[in-house]
Amino acid sequence: MHLLAMAPQDEPVGMARAIERAWHNDILFIIRDKLPKFLAVLLIVFALHRIVLFFVRRLRRRADNLVRINFHRAAQLRTMASTIRATSYGIFGFIVFLQVLNLFNIPYQPILASAGILGVAIGLGAQSIFKDMLNGILILVEDQYNVGEIVSLAGLKGTVEDLTLRRTVVRDADGTLYIIPNSQIATVSNLSRDYAVATLNVSVDASANPDKVIAILSGVANQVRNDPAFKDIAVADPVILGVDKIEGRAVTYPVQLRVRTNQRDVVLRELRRRVILAFEKDGIPLGNDPANMLILRAPNPTAPPAQLPLIGS
C-alpha cells in the first residue's frame, strides 16, 4: 500500500527528469551537429557580405572619380552600387532565416508553401507593390535616371539619393527627403543628362539702345565663357536671343549658355554679377515691373498754394 501511494507522487518528478534529459540531448545534438553548420553558414554569409561591400565601395569610389569627366557614367555606377547592396542584403537575410529554422528543426518547406499562397493573396490585394517593382526594373533597364542626377518626378524636383526596384528617394533644394513609389512615376524629367542650359533673363528699361544692350550682354557672356574658372564648365558659346518680351517699359533680353550638368547655378551667379557691373559702367538702366512703379512729381516750392473754391460762389 505504501508503494502504491508513492507512485502517483513520483510521476511528475519522473516526467520532469525525462523532459530535462530530452532537452539536454537536444541541446547536445544542436551544439554537436547543427551549430557548426550554422556557424559555417554565418561565416560564408559574412565573407560574401564583405565581398559585396568591397565591390560597392569600389563602384562608389570609381563614380566619385568620374563625376567631372563623365557625370552620367558616375550616376550609373552609383545606381548599380545601391541596387547590388539592397539586393544582397535581402538574399543574405533570407539565407540566414532558413538556417535558423534548420537549426531548431523547424521544417521550412510548409512555411515556404504558405508564404507562396500568402504572397498570391497579398498580391491580389496589393498590386501596387508589383507595379513598383516592374516600373523599377524598366527605370533601370531604360536608364531613365540614376543616383546623383537632378530629376522631376511626380511633381517633385530634387536630387536622386537612392534608387531600388520599389522606390526612389529624392531630396529637394530645401533638404526635404521624398520617398516616391516607382508606380507613381509616370513622367520623368531628367535635368542632368548631357548638358544643361543656363538662361538669364535680363530686364532693361526701354530707354536703353537695344543694339548697345545686346553688344554688352554678348561681351559679358563671352567673358564668362572664356574665363579659366568656367572654361571647362561651359560647353558652347553663349547665345543672345535679342528682345524677347516687352512689358510696359521693361524689355527682356534672354542670355543662354550651355554648361555641364549640375553647374548651371555657378555660371548664372557669375553672369549676374558681371552684367550688373557692366550696366553700371555704361549707364544702362535696369527694367522695373510696371505694376510696382510709382511715379511721383516733386512739388514746386515757388508755386502759390492751391485755393479751394468757396461754397456758393
Side-chain angles (χ1 to χ4, degrees):
M1 295 295 294
H2 180 70
L3 294 175
L4 293 176
M6 293 296 296
Q9 297 179 359
D10 293 339
E11 289 182 0
V13 177
M15 186 179 298
R17 290 178 179 177
I19 294 175
E20 181 181 357
R21 285 195 300 270
W23 275 95
H24 181 70
N25 294 332
D26 290 340
I27 292 175
L28 290 179
F29 176 75
I30 291 175
I31 294 176
R32 185 179 62 251
D33 295 339
K34 296 296 184 76
L35 188 59
K37 297 178 182 179
F38 180 72
L39 293 177
V41 171
L42 285 182
L43 183 62
I44 294 173
V45 169
F46 178 76
L48 293 175
H49 172 68
R50 300 300 300 178
I51 293 174
V52 170
L53 285 182
F54 172 76
F55 282 105
V56 167
R57 290 170 182 170
R58 288 290 300 271
L59 288 174
R60 290 178 174 174
R61 193 178 303 116
R62 177 65 175 168
D64 294 337
N65 296 331
L66 289 175
V67 168
R68 294 186 175 275
I69 302 174
N70 190 343
F71 178 81
H72 179 59
R73 182 58 179 170
Q76 287 181 328
L77 292 178
R78 288 197 190 97
T79 304
M80 188 182 303
S82 178
T83 305
I84 291 175
R85 178 178 56 85
T87 305
S88 63
Y89 283 177
I91 294 175
F92 294 158
F94 182 71
I95 293 174
V96 172
F97 173 71
L98 293 182
Q99 293 303 317
V100 169
L101 295 179
N102 187 30
L103 179 65
F104 294 100
N105 291 326
I106 300 176
Y108 55 83
Q109 291 84 358
I111 296 178
L112 294 179
S114 300
I117 298 173
L118 182 62
V120 173
I122 293 176
L124 296 176
Q127 297 181 2
S128 61
I129 297 178
F130 297 96
K131 293 180 181 178
D132 292 340
M133 299 185 66
L134 180 60
N135 202 20
I137 294 174
L138 293 177
I139 289 172
L140 293 175
V141 171
E142 297 176 357
D143 194 21
Q144 298 180 13
Y145 55 86
N146 296 289
V147 176
E149 293 184 337
I150 300 177
V151 296
S152 178
L153 308 173
L156 302 171
K157 179 181 177 182
T159 303
V160 179
E161 289 200 349
D162 194 13
L163 173 62
T164 63
L165 295 180
R166 199 190 68 81
R167 87 286 188 273
T168 300
V169 180
V170 176
R171 188 181 298 275
D172 64 6
D174 297 330
T176 306
L177 193 68
Y178 298 98
I179 301 176
I180 308 171
N182 290 333
S183 61
Q184 302 297 323
I185 301 173
T187 303
V188 176
S189 299
N190 196 322
L191 309 179
S192 300
R193 286 293 170 89
D194 300 332
Y195 63 87
V197 178
T199 302
L200 178 62
N201 294 317
V202 182
S203 181
V204 179
D205 190 80
S207 61
N209 187 346
D211 295 334
K212 183 178 180 180
V213 172
I214 293 174
I216 294 174
L217 292 176
S218 178
V220 171
N222 281 286
Q223 289 176 7
V224 175
R225 167 76 170 92
N226 298 320
D227 192 300
F230 304 99
K231 192 172 183 179
D232 294 334
I233 297 177
V235 297
D237 293 333
V239 177
I240 312 299
L241 301 178
V243 178
D244 181 68
K245 186 167 51 177
I246 300 176
E247 293 182 351
R249 294 194 58 81
V251 183
T252 303
Y253 298 84
V255 180
Q256 292 184 351
L257 186 61
R258 186 177 296 183
V259 298
R260 295 188 181 277
T261 56
N262 296 336
Q263 301 293 328
R264 181 171 50 186
D265 294 335
V266 179
V267 175
L268 286 176
R269 292 190 189 100
E270 181 63 18
L271 192 59
R272 293 189 190 100
R273 186 184 72 86
R274 298 199 182 196
V275 166
I276 292 174
L277 295 177
F279 280 9
E280 289 291 333
K281 180 180 178 181
D282 291 286
I284 303 296
L286 292 174
N288 295 313
D289 187 358
N292 297 328
M293 291 180 62
L294 180 62
I295 302 176
L296 298 177
R297 174 184 290 182
N300 188 359
T302 60
Q307 296 182 355
L308 297 176
L310 296 177
I311 300 176
S313 60

